[in-house]
Amino acid sequence: GGGETDYFFILSSNAACMMFGSFLLGIYVDRGPGRILPAYVGTAVLTVVGSVLYALAGSVRALGHIRTLLVARCLVGLGASNSMLCMIFLGEAVRPEDRQKWVIRFGITRSQGLFWGPPLGMALAAMSGGQEEGALFGANAAPGWFQAFATAVATAALVATWQDLPEGPVAAAHEPARSP
């Protein structure tokens, strides 16, 4: 259910939650070292929970309400605020002369996700079959399940390969010495 205005409100709320989440993450990460990974994992959990709720809203009659979609997309918006953590990490881990290429790489991958995500969601919905009542993996639920799965796998890979940075900004150690 829901009308066009409801869906525009949901999308606007998603964006507002992402901006608010970025603000909160910035405060949290600035308060000390070693906070990037816990912040990322926490926001990934929000994304997974929001995506599962979105998927269930498309398949469980009791959750099939516009308010459920609003809560789900707000959770995903808060979770998506983790994209700014990449820029913080790059500032701490990459030498100044290499930052530009890594910022560009991040921008390209983020843009590709924003470009290909909606068509992939439509393709998943089309391939998943009809919208049978109570179909847990029906057309309305497939994009949410996929996003939850992809986020969980990417977060597990990040946690498994994470290496803490040494104390202090790594990039500052790579600054060329200035002559007097």
Side-chain angles (χ1 to χ4, degrees):
E4 196 172 295
T5 304
D6 295 323
Y7 290 99
F8 283 120
F9 179 71
I10 288 171
L11 291 175
S12 299
S13 298
N14 177 276
C17 286
M18 188 177 355
M19 287 187 291
F20 183 65
S22 294
F23 172 73
L24 293 177
L25 277 177
I27 292 170
Y28 174 74
V29 171
D30 282 347
R31 293 192 177 201
R35 293 176 175 240
I36 293 176
L37 183 61
Y40 188 88
V41 171
T43 55
V45 167
L46 289 173
T47 300
V48 169
V49 170
S51 299
V52 168
L53 185 59
Y54 177 87
L56 292 174
S59 56
V60 176
R61 183 183 265 291
L63 295 174
H65 195 276
I66 199 71
R67 285 186 225 120
T68 306
L69 292 177
L70 176 64
V71 170
R73 295 310 297 172
C74 284
L75 288 171
V76 169
L78 287 169
S81 65
N82 66 16
S83 64
M84 56 86 74
L85 293 172
C86 179
M87 294 301 165
I88 294 170
F89 183 79
L90 288 176
E92 291 183 9
V94 177
R95 295 181 314 198
E97 59 269 15
D98 293 333
R99 276 190 206 135
Q100 185 176 11
K101 78 176 162 191
W102 284 102
V103 167
I104 290 169
R105 288 175 180 165
F106 171 72
I108 289 171
T109 57
R110 180 87 173 139
S111 299
Q112 290 296 311
L114 293 172
F115 180 79
W116 292 107
L120 178 61
M122 290 173 31
L124 286 170
M127 290 186 310
S128 66
Q131 299 177 18
E132 302 90 31
E133 183 68 33
L136 198 54
F137 298 101
N140 293 333
W145 288 122
F146 179 79
Q147 183 174 2
F149 176 76
T151 301
V153 168
T155 303
L158 178 69
V159 170
T161 59
W162 185 262
Q163 295 178 7
D164 285 326
L165 296 173
E167 288 294 319
V170 172
H174 297 289
E175 293 287 335
R178 296 187 185 191
S179 56

